[in-house]
Amino acid sequence: MRKIACTILFIGVLMTSFSVKAQIMERANKYFEFFSYEEAIELYEILWQKDSLNENVAKQLAISYRLTNNSEKSELWYSKVVKSSLTTATDYLEYSRALQSNKKYEEAQIWMDKYLKSTSGSEQKQIDLDLILELRKDSSRYSIKPITANSEQSEFGVAFYKEDVVFSSAKEKTSMIKRNYKWNNQNYLRLYKSEVSKDGDLKNAVLFSGKLGTNYHDGPVCFTADGKEMFLTRNHVSSSKRAKRNEEGVVSIKLYHCTMEGDKWSTPELLSFNMEGYSTGHPALSADGKSLYFISDRPNGYGGTDLYVSTKTETDWSTPKNLGDKINTSENEMFPFADENQILYFASKGHAGLGGLDLYSIDLKKEKAEPVNMGYPINTSKDDFGLILKNGNGYFASNRIKGETYDDIYQFAILSRLIKGEVLNSETKEILGNTKVSLLNSNGEIVKTIHTTADGKFQFLISEIEDYQIKSVKENFTDGVESISTTDLSNSMEFHQSVYQVPDNKLSLEGLVVYKDDRAPVEGVLVSITNEKTNETIDYTSNSEGKFFGSLLRDQQYNLRYHKEGILSKSSKLNTSNRKGNKVYVEEVVEKVQVGKVFVLDNIFYDVNKSNIRADAAMELDKLVVLMIENPSLKIELSSHTDSRGSDVYNKSLSDRRAKEAVEYIVSKGISPDRLQAKGYGESRLINHCSNGVNCSKAEHQANRRTEVKILEL
């Protein structure tokens, strides 16, 4: 404070002349250029008090407050910048981010829209207000409180170490020499260890290892399960013991490895996959110790820092592999942690969320898994990052209370888990909306049932950890069943499980064949069912009850042919499109047949005193054509009969002509003429009493005017 007071007094004296402003501006810009933002802010604020129209000062303050993570002041100064002549598209973006960090989401969306409209090809995510509302639900799922070991400075980068916890802290050292990180005027990070109390709190943190400390930042770290190996993040320094900064003023970080030798750690050695000129850090080991996850800004990434993985070989670690664009974005992805279920937790600014760094999880076992935002209150509009988890309890860091660059460590316990997912068509992977989804416990009892909307999404909040099943039911699909184990849920705050339902393309077919005259069931009928699209034919045979059973595909056209000695073979069409339910019922009426049997063809009408085939008669004769095609050995006599009105000679001649016309029509459809005989009987075979001179009704006379088919050969 004494130094600041002297500085202000000095400046107050010098402000008497115009040149003093230039001198202060020069000093402020020099601080800014050398990344001493806290000291630069102090001078820029004084300049603004003297000249509130200086747009350059406003912009420098906006940038400085942003880089020191002060979202309230960043919002204030960017609100001035976006109205100035110096504004750029990037200023719209940073103003939007500051507003979002301060929970002013709707206003932030306005400025994000301005940014997106002023830039082409930007990969920046739009602010999703609906998602923000969704993420803030179910806030009682966790218990969260700060640890006792937090200091007035920053603490973060928590790692499990045997039964203890190790983290990085900027708390003041007891040494006589004070070295501050000029970016934010805090101490450089050092590693501390704390025992875990019964209630999960971290107290009485002590320096982890005095010999491992450097003059710059140390941490984050991770350890093997046995605690005998450590992977350590450090600022990389040259042989001259000086740190090199990149163009953005950031000193690169590197990954080191050391082992426990006796009761001391060996000298840390650089891992082989570090790249000169680029940062590599934030290590996280898989549960089996074979995969090492970390961050890097090396070339050919997606932007900012990306997440990578390297696999342990017999002699070294493999060439790092980028984890891909489902995880990595054009922004920064940081602080990975992998649990024993292969769930990867990480922090990101690039995925849709509540603002600042949000925490996400992704199931590495599932090929098509997507990152899941862990929701409020784990995530807030501030920076939330560095989560670790074991047996449903864990720790993470956040600047939610102190703000700016002051991070605290929070302990949390999972009180209830969220099971969520969606129902999908197993063949097309399309969403299946309007489904009934039930959650069943380990006893097979239904815990809860919901009906999804068109989006097919469901979620269940559970408090008990046990084996569960999710069952989805939808018409025209087989039931979808997915299992969730206790292991899946033990460390999961939010477990995602898609349920797949197989399209039930098959319809259950039940058929019945009966005789026409007495409706008695017909046994032994060969039913040939042909799919007209694929030309595939399946044969069924009717049982003693005249029934046959099979299956059909939906949305197909079928031809059903019925054949048995002693009946007339026949066919019918069946379309399975737009069928409700899963069953199809068909009934076919067949006729017994023997040589000499006579059938009357219904609906064969002629105009008075005419023999030409009318359209309605042609439709009936076409059925006879089909019958003859289906029964290729069938030979028939087709006879025509008249009533008694008119002379016997005329009626005989008229019936002859009509019979011949009918035969000629059938022949024209491709039936061989040697299978047909035409016969006109006139009025010689009346079927009632209406002979010559008898007074009869029109209906009685109509009964005598008929066309008959007589079986000659079969």
Side-chain angles (χ1 to χ4, degrees):
M1 290 296 296
R2 183 176 181 182
K3 174 185 175 183
I4 295 174
C6 292
T7 302
I8 294 174
L9 177 62
F10 171 74
I11 292 171
V13 173
L14 292 180
M15 287 293 285
T16 55
S17 66
F18 177 79
S19 62
V20 171
K21 292 182 181 179
Q23 294 177 31
I24 298 174
M25 178 66 82
E26 182 179 356
R27 288 184 62 192
N29 288 341
K30 189 171 183 180
Y31 282 135
F32 185 91
E33 181 182 352
F34 284 95
F35 318 109
S36 298
Y37 296 113
E38 292 289 350
E39 292 176 304
I41 285 171
E42 183 181 335
L43 297 181
Y44 285 135
E45 289 276 14
I46 293 172
L47 286 170
W48 182 260
Q49 292 175 10
K50 300 299 181 180
D51 183 5
S52 61
L53 298 178
N54 193 321
E55 294 178 346
N56 184 62
V57 170
K59 188 153 189 172
Q60 293 295 85
L61 280 167
I63 295 172
S64 298
Y65 277 120
R66 171 174 63 82
L67 293 174
T68 54
N69 223 20
N70 189 328
S71 62
E72 287 78 11
K73 288 294 185 71
S74 180
E75 175 194 336
L76 170 66
W77 290 102
Y78 272 112
S79 70
K80 303 179 187 297
V81 173
V82 295
K83 300 173 185 177
S84 72
S85 62
L86 300 178
T87 186
T88 64
T90 301
D91 296 324
Y92 296 151
L93 175 63
E94 299 301 346
Y95 185 35
S96 174
R97 286 174 170 171
L99 289 164
Q100 189 175 4
S101 185
N102 296 331
K103 300 181 184 179
K104 299 177 181 179
Y105 296 115
E106 292 184 359
E107 191 176 352
Q109 187 177 43
I110 294 172
W111 290 97
M112 182 63 75
D113 288 340
K114 288 180 178 288
Y115 168 73
L116 294 174
K117 288 178 181 178
S118 61
T119 55
S120 58
S122 173
E123 297 181 8
Q124 178 64 37
K125 294 283 186 182
Q126 178 60 279
I127 296 172
D128 190 335
L129 297 179
D130 292 335
L131 175 63
I132 290 170
L133 291 174
E134 181 69 23
L135 293 176
R136 293 187 67 85
K137 290 181 180 178
D138 303 319
S139 60
S140 61
R141 290 165 52 197
Y142 320 97
S143 65
I144 298 176
K145 60 181 180 180
I147 64 170
T148 302
N150 286 320
S151 70
E152 293 300 315
Q153 305 299 315
S154 288
E155 280 79 31
F156 63 92
V158 198
F160 292 119
Y161 173 59
K162 298 181 180 180
E163 301 302 319
D164 300 329
V165 162
V166 173
F167 59 89
S168 296
S169 174
K171 65 170 63 179
E172 291 188 9
K173 295 185 291 186
T174 57
S175 61
M176 296 293 293
I177 302 175
K178 305 290 184 183
R179 297 188 71 255
N180 284 3
Y181 181 40
K182 295 300 183 181
W183 190 298
N184 58 15
N185 259 343
Q186 291 193 46
N187 296 299
Y188 281 97
L189 297 169
R190 301 187 78 188
L191 295 175
Y192 289 82
K193 182 181 73 172
S194 176
E195 295 181 355
V196 180
S197 62
K198 291 183 178 180
D199 62 357
D201 195 8
L202 304 181
K203 305 175 181 178
N204 306 319
V206 297
L207 198 63
F208 178 61
S209 172
K211 292 187 176 181
L212 283 178
T214 67
N215 290 329
Y216 297 97
H217 290 308
D218 296 312
V221 298
C222 74
F223 301 88
T224 54
D226 59 11
K228 294 181 179 180
E229 295 181 64
M230 176 171 57
F231 297 85
L232 168 64
T233 309
R234 279 180 166 179
N235 280 136
H236 184 54
V237 296
S238 65
S239 57
S240 63
K241 305 298 182 182
R242 295 186 63 84
K244 295 183 178 180
R245 300 177 184 267
N246 63 16
E247 293 179 354
E248 297 176 348
V250 178
V251 178
S252 65
I253 55 176
K254 302 294 181 185
L255 266 182
Y256 295 78
H257 173 257
C258 55
T259 59
M260 179 64 74
E261 297 177 351
D263 60 351
K264 297 181 180 179
W265 289 101
S266 65
T267 301
E269 296 182 357
L270 279 169
L271 288 172
S272 60
F273 54 67
N274 286 288
M275 290 187 71
E276 186 65 32
Y278 299 96
S279 285
T280 303
H282 298 193
L285 270 176
S286 60
D288 60 10
K290 296 179 180 180
S291 297
L292 180 62
Y293 300 93
F294 59 90
I295 70 164
S296 180
D297 61 355
R298 62 189 59 203
N300 301 317
Y302 293 92
T305 54
D306 283 359
L307 294 184
Y308 290 81
V309 63
S310 176
T311 305
K312 192 172 186 178
T313 67
E314 291 184 2
T315 58
D316 200 0
W317 291 89
S318 68
T319 301
K321 177 184 177 182
N322 189 294
L323 291 186
D325 59 1
K326 283 188 178 180
I327 292 176
N328 294 312
T329 68
S330 59
E331 298 292 333
N332 289 329
E333 278 67 49
M334 312 169 76
F335 298 98
F337 172 76
D339 72 8
E340 63 268 29
N341 297 322
Q342 296 185 55
I343 305 297
L344 182 70
Y345 298 87
F346 64 97
S348 173
K349 282 189 175 182
H351 295 282
L354 292 170
L357 282 169
D358 270 15
L359 283 159
Y360 299 82
S361 66
I362 186 169
D363 191 341
L364 298 178
K365 300 186 300 295
K366 298 180 179 179
E367 182 180 353
K368 296 184 178 181
E370 299 284 344
V372 176
N373 188 296
M374 299 182 69
Y376 181 84
I378 292 292
N379 287 321
T380 64
S381 62
K382 302 298 183 180
D383 286 335
D384 308 288
F385 58 98
L387 179 144
I388 63 172
L389 179 63
K390 182 189 295 183
N391 300 325
N393 298 278
Y395 306 89
F396 67 94
S398 176
N399 66 343
R400 63 185 62 191
I401 293 180
K402 296 178 183 177
E404 302 185 41
T405 55
Y406 294 89
D407 304 303
D408 279 339
I409 295 171
Y410 293 80
Q411 66 175 108
F412 72 95
I414 306 174
L415 303 180
S416 57
R417 276 82 172 164
L418 188 66
I419 298 175
K420 63 192 304 186
E422 61 283 316
V423 185
L424 303 171
N425 183 318
S426 65
E427 293 185 358
T428 65
K429 303 304 183 288
E430 294 176 336
I431 290 291
L432 285 183
N434 306 308
T435 55
K436 184 174 82 169
V437 183
S438 299
L439 180 70
L440 288 74
N441 63 20
S442 57
N443 295 322
E445 301 166 335
I446 295 178
V447 178
K448 188 175 182 181
T449 295
I450 63 170
H451 289 81
T452 70
T453 59
D455 64 6
K457 293 182 178 180
F458 61 85
Q459 64 179 41
F460 300 102
L461 194 63
I462 60 169
S463 56
E464 299 295 329
I465 298 179
E466 58 180 300
D467 294 338
Y468 288 95
Q469 277 192 336
I470 300 175
K471 181 178 181 180
S472 60
V473 179
K474 185 176 177 64
E475 191 176 36
N476 300 334
F477 287 82
T478 59
D479 293 349
V481 179
E482 299 291 344
S483 298
I484 301 174
S485 69
T486 301
T487 303
D488 291 331
L489 296 173
S490 61
N491 265 348
S492 299
M493 287 174 274
E494 182 172 304
F495 187 81
H496 186 274
Q497 178 64 62
S498 297
V499 181
Y500 295 91
Q501 289 194 240
V502 180
D504 188 3
N505 290 333
K506 291 185 177 181
L507 295 166
S508 176
L509 171 66
E510 180 179 340
L512 175 65
V513 186
V514 295
Y515 285 121
K516 182 178 181 181
D517 52 1
D518 59 4
R519 293 195 59 79
V522 187
E523 182 181 3
V525 177
L526 179 65
V527 185
S528 297
I529 304 178
T530 302
N531 186 318
E532 295 188 355
K533 181 178 181 180
T534 65
N535 207 34
E536 179 183 7
T537 299
I538 300 178
D539 293 330
Y540 302 97
T541 302
S542 62
N543 61 21
S544 60
E545 297 178 337
K547 295 180 179 180
F548 61 93
F549 303 92
S551 63
L552 303 173
L553 297 176
R554 293 182 184 276
D555 302 320
Q556 302 292 319
Q557 180 77 21
Y558 288 94
N559 181 48
L560 283 67
R561 297 185 70 250
Y562 301 84
H563 178 73
K564 181 186 178 183
E565 186 176 353
I567 70 169
L568 283 175
S569 298
K570 60 187 304 186
S571 67
S572 60
K573 299 288 186 181
L574 178 62
N575 191 305
T576 58
S577 299
N578 302 317
R579 292 273 177 170
K580 292 185 177 181
N582 297 315
K583 293 183 178 180
V584 175
Y585 178 81
V586 296
E587 181 179 308
E588 194 64 40
V589 178
V590 297
E591 296 192 54
K592 296 177 182 178
V593 62
Q594 60 186 6
V595 174
K597 185 175 179 65
V598 176
F599 303 94
V600 177
L601 291 183
D602 298 325
N603 303 318
I604 301 293
F605 301 119
Y606 297 90
D607 293 329
V608 178
N609 296 325
K610 301 284 185 163
S611 61
N612 59 290
I613 304 299
R614 297 187 345 185
D616 51 2
M619 293 177 63
E620 295 302 315
L621 291 174
D622 285 339
K623 295 178 183 178
L624 183 57
V625 171
V626 172
L627 184 66
M628 298 197 72
I629 292 173
E630 293 173 346
N631 297 268
S633 62
L634 179 64
K635 292 184 179 182
I636 64 171
E637 175 192 272
L638 193 148
S639 61
S640 180
H641 303 263
T642 68
D643 59 33
S644 62
R645 292 176 294 183
S647 69
D648 292 354
V649 174
Y650 177 79
N651 285 336
K652 176 66 169 66
S653 175
L654 178 60
S655 64
D656 280 337
R657 294 197 308 273
R658 285 177 172 175
K660 289 177 181 178
E661 285 284 347
V663 167
E664 288 176 3
Y665 178 85
I666 294 173
V667 170
S668 72
K669 297 297 183 179
I671 303 301
S672 175
D674 62 5
R675 296 175 61 192
L676 298 153
Q677 291 183 17
K679 188 72 173 181
Y681 288 98
E683 58 182 274
S684 64
R685 294 188 178 183
L686 300 176
I687 61 173
N688 57 27
H689 65 285
C690 297
S691 59
N692 292 335
V694 178
N695 187 21
C696 291
S697 66
K698 289 183 178 181
E700 289 173 321
H701 283 302
Q702 176 65 60
N704 287 315
R705 298 193 302 272
R706 66 197 186 280
T707 298
E708 293 180 343
V709 173
K710 180 180 180 181
I711 305 299
L712 300 177
E713 186 177 326
L714 182 60

